[in-house]
């Protein structure tokens, strides 16, 4: 062990004094001249045996999610496409060129290149990579090409469970003109390389996949898919909760004194605020979504409809408060009042009045006191309602009913949708 280390150390010091064998600029220049004679045709695919398809190995180095705009179905990521293949025409013996010329860089435009095209392109057709880029060529004819770029594609979002949704977007590359019997696209690995991935502020990457398939046109495609989960905390704090709190704020309109005259103005202002949030969410979401539009849209529409019915309830309650007491109260409103506030609130007690009026008689005559007690009992059994009582019963009914509706429309949505999806 120590003898081997001593030999390595001695050789390293020897190379400092005696120049070790290393290829020169002339060696590499001669190599390029020999590799690319006039007979080399970059338009012909490599492969000495034309009955065997050329294998092109592909991988992807995932860097970050640049953008995902659901309204225009645009998905873009940054990364590098790694492509590897063999060209039997570009081989050499390293011993003939300085002894250690194992690899060299070659301009991309001088060799045959796989012309990869994204089937799900968002912008007009563009070639992957740039003509001024270089490829790395090994002595055995192995070519490595890594093309960094911003890759854009169309991606139809399924926003049914927005903002608790999962989205899967893909890049689909193929070689125009080549059949699988001529060029075979093979993924090196089943997932993207994510060692250099940078987290996105709005999306968490759940899973990546790379696989090949044959489309309906009998063309082979390399599919690179990204499964993403939306970070819903921002949307809950900035959209769902404010709308829920505004909706519950409308309930306080029924607790305001009816004489202040601000009930209708208050509930209408809050309703307009809910309408503004409804407009904001509709601007962010696309007009169509597969298989259905966002359930949040229905939820916000439900909040708005509840707010409209609340406004109607406030107006009806104020009409009850403003009616004269000489107007007869219908029987169905009396039954409604008794059902909401209970029978004891439907009675107007007059016992105290009778006691003060007949106090002297009651003190001198026990029989008359008993009669007075019986009269009080009769008075207690006779209902004496006012329109103010009907208004109070309406307020209590609206608070309970609309509160229950809002709880179902908000709390149930957040819990059920987040748990199910």
């Amino acid at each position: 062990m120590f003898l081997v280390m001593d030999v390595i150390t001695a050789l390293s010091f020897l190379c400092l004094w005696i120049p070790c064998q290393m290829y020169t600029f002339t060696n590499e220049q001669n190599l390029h001249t020999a590799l690319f004679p006039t007979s080399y045709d970059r338009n012909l695919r490599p492969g000495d045996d034309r009955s065997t398809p050329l294998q092109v190995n592909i991988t992807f180095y995932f860097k970050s999610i640049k953008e995902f705009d659901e309204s225009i179905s645009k998905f873009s990521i940054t990364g590098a496409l790694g492509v590897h293949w063999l060209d039997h025409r570009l081989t050499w013996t390293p011993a003939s060129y300085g002894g250690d010329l194992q690899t060299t860089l070659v301009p991309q435009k001088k060799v045959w290149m796989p012309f990869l095209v994204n089937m799900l392109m968002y912008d007009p057709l563009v070639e992957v990579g740039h003509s001024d880029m270089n490829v790395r060529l090994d002595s055995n004819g192995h070519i490595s090409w890594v093309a960094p770029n911003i890759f854009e594609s169309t991606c139809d979002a399924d926003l049914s469970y927005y903002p608790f949704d999962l989205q899967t977007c893909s890049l689909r590359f193929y070689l125009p003109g080549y059949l699988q019997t001529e060029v075979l696209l093979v993924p090196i690995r089943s997932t993207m390389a994510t060692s250099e991935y940078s987290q996105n502020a709005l999306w968490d990457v759940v899973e990546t996949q790379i696989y090949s398939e044959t489309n309906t046109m009998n063309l082979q495609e390399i599919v690179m898919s990204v499964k993403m989960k939306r970070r819903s905390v921002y949307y809950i704090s900035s959209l769902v909760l404010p709308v829920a709190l505004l909706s519950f704020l409308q309930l306080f309109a029924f607790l305001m004194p009816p004489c202040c005259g601000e009930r209708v103005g208050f509930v209408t202002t809050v309703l307009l605020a809910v309408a503004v949030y409804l407009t904001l969410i509709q601007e962010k979401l696309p007009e169509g979504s597969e298989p259905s539009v966002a359930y949040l849209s229905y939820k916000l529409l439900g909040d708005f409809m509840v707010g409209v019915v609340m406004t109607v309830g406030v107006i009806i309650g104020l009409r009850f408060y403003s009616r004269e007491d000489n107007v007869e109260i219908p029987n169905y409103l009396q039954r409604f009042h008794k059902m909401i506030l209970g029978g004891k609130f439907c009675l107007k007690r007059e016992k105290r009045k009778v006691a003060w009026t007949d106090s002297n008689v009651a003190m001198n005559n026990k029989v008359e006191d008993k009669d007075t007690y019986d009269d009080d009992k009769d008075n207690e059994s006779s209902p004496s309602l006012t329109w103010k009582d009907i208004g109070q019963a309406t307020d209590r009914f609206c608070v309970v009913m609309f509160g229950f509706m809002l709880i179902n429309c908000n709390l149930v949505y957040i819990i059920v949708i987040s748990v199910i999806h």
Side-chain angles (χ1 to χ4, degrees):
M1 177 70 180
F2 292 103
L3 181 60
V4 174
M5 294 297 297
D6 293 339
V7 171
I8 295 175
T9 306
L11 289 175
S12 61
F13 279 106
L14 184 61
C15 287
L16 294 176
W17 299 97
I18 302 175
C20 295
Q21 187 178 16
M22 184 176 182
Y23 71 89
T24 62
F25 172 81
T26 303
N27 295 138
E28 191 167 11
Q29 187 179 39
N30 293 336
L31 174 63
H32 280 235
T33 302
L35 288 177
F36 300 101
T38 56
S39 59
Y40 182 87
D41 191 352
R42 64 184 299 268
N43 296 316
L44 293 177
R45 69 172 178 88
D48 192 22
D49 185 3
R50 310 306 281 183
S51 63
T52 303
L54 173 66
Q55 180 173 320
V56 177
N57 299 322
I58 296 178
T59 188
F60 191 84
Y61 304 95
F62 192 14
K63 181 61 178 177
S64 65
I65 299 175
K66 181 177 181 293
E67 180 185 14
F68 181 41
D69 194 336
E70 303 94 331
S71 60
I72 58 177
S73 300
K74 180 181 180 181
F75 174 67
S76 62
I77 59 176
T78 59
L81 186 66
V83 186
H84 312 273
W85 69 97
L86 287 174
D87 194 331
H88 71 285
R89 298 166 293 182
L90 304 178
T91 60
W92 72 92
T93 303
S96 302
Y97 299 94
D100 59 346
L101 184 51
Q102 300 286 346
T103 181
T104 185
L105 290 178
V106 178
Q108 172 181 319
K109 56 188 177 184
K110 294 183 67 175
V111 300
W112 177 89
M113 294 288 299
F115 184 79
L116 293 171
V117 175
N118 185 12
M119 287 285 286
L120 300 176
M121 68 190 79
Y122 183 82
D123 291 323
L125 176 63
V126 292
E127 180 183 3
V128 177
H130 194 273
S131 59
D132 293 332
M133 293 180 62
N134 294 325
V135 297
R136 181 162 292 277
L137 175 62
D138 296 336
S139 60
N140 60 356
H142 181 267
I143 299 178
S144 299
W145 177 53
V146 179
N149 205 342
I150 298 176
F151 299 89
E152 298 179 346
S153 68
T154 58
C155 182
D156 294 328
D158 178 10
L159 299 174
S160 301
Y161 298 95
Y162 176 92
F164 306 99
D165 52 329
L166 288 169
Q167 303 295 336
T168 301
C169 297
S170 302
L171 303 171
R172 308 178 73 94
F173 294 101
Y174 84 109
L175 280 173
Y178 288 100
L179 302 177
Q180 295 186 57
T181 56
E182 298 170 339
V183 177
L184 186 63
L185 301 178
V186 178
I188 297 178
R189 50 189 297 174
S190 60
T191 60
M192 297 181 180
T194 57
S195 58
E196 297 295 326
Y197 176 74
S198 300
Q199 291 289 337
N200 186 268
L202 298 178
W203 296 95
D204 287 326
V205 175
V206 177
E207 182 184 9
T208 62
Q209 285 185 329
I210 302 179
Y211 58 93
S212 64
E213 66 178 18
T214 304
N215 58 23
T216 56
M217 297 181 291
N218 202 28
L219 297 175
Q220 186 189 20
E221 296 180 356
I222 288 289
V223 183
M224 304 178 183
S225 64
V226 180
K227 189 175 183 180
M228 308 170 294
K229 181 179 181 180
R230 192 188 302 271
R231 294 186 173 182
S232 57
V233 176
Y234 166 76
Y235 298 94
I236 292 175
S237 61
S238 63
L239 178 64
V240 178
L241 284 182
V243 174
L245 294 176
L246 283 175
S247 299
F248 280 103
L249 188 62
Q250 290 178 294
L251 294 174
F252 287 90
F254 299 102
L255 304 180
M256 298 175 63
C259 58
C260 67
E262 296 295 332
R263 279 192 173 191
V264 176
F266 175 78
V267 73
T268 304
T269 302
V270 178
L271 180 63
L272 291 177
V274 175
V276 170
Y277 270 96
L278 182 62
T279 304
L280 292 177
I281 186 61
Q282 293 297 338
E283 290 179 353
K284 291 184 178 181
L285 299 181
E287 295 180 358
S289 173
E290 293 295 336
S292 63
V293 298
Y295 296 142
L296 181 61
S297 299
Y298 296 118
K299 182 260 179 189
L300 293 178
L301 180 60
D303 288 341
F304 184 78
M305 294 177 63
V306 171
V308 172
V309 180
M310 277 191 193
T311 305
V312 176
V314 168
I315 295 175
I316 293 176
L318 289 177
R319 286 183 59 85
F320 289 154
Y321 278 110
S322 60
R323 283 191 178 181
E324 299 292 337
D325 290 336
N326 56 4
V327 179
E328 183 180 359
I329 301 176
N331 292 331
Y332 68 90
L333 288 180
Q334 295 182 22
R335 290 192 296 269
F336 168 76
H337 181 276
K338 185 176 182 179
M339 179 180 63
I340 299 300
L341 296 181
K344 63 180 181 179
F345 294 101
C346 301
L347 307 178
K348 185 176 180 180
R349 301 178 182 272
E350 297 180 356
K351 179 178 179 180
R352 181 172 297 178
K353 288 185 178 180
V354 176
W356 280 102
T357 303
D358 301 330
S359 58
N360 296 327
V361 178
M363 292 175 61
N364 297 325
N365 195 335
K366 292 183 178 181
V367 177
E368 291 183 3
D369 183 63
K370 182 177 180 301
D371 294 337
T372 302
Y373 175 76
D374 294 337
D375 291 340
D376 291 339
K377 235 178 135 182
D378 294 337
N379 288 333
E380 287 183 356
S381 62
S382 60
S384 179
L385 291 177
T386 64
W387 284 104
K388 181 179 179 181
D389 298 328
I390 300 298
Q392 291 175 352
T394 303
D395 289 344
R396 176 169 293 191
F397 172 76
C398 290
V399 169
V400 175
M401 182 185 69
F402 292 127
F404 178 77
M405 293 175 63
L406 290 175
I407 289 176
N408 281 274
C409 200
N410 292 274
L411 187 60
V412 172
Y413 169 81
I414 295 176
I415 295 178
V416 174
I417 297 298
S418 60
V419 170
I420 291 179
H421 201 70

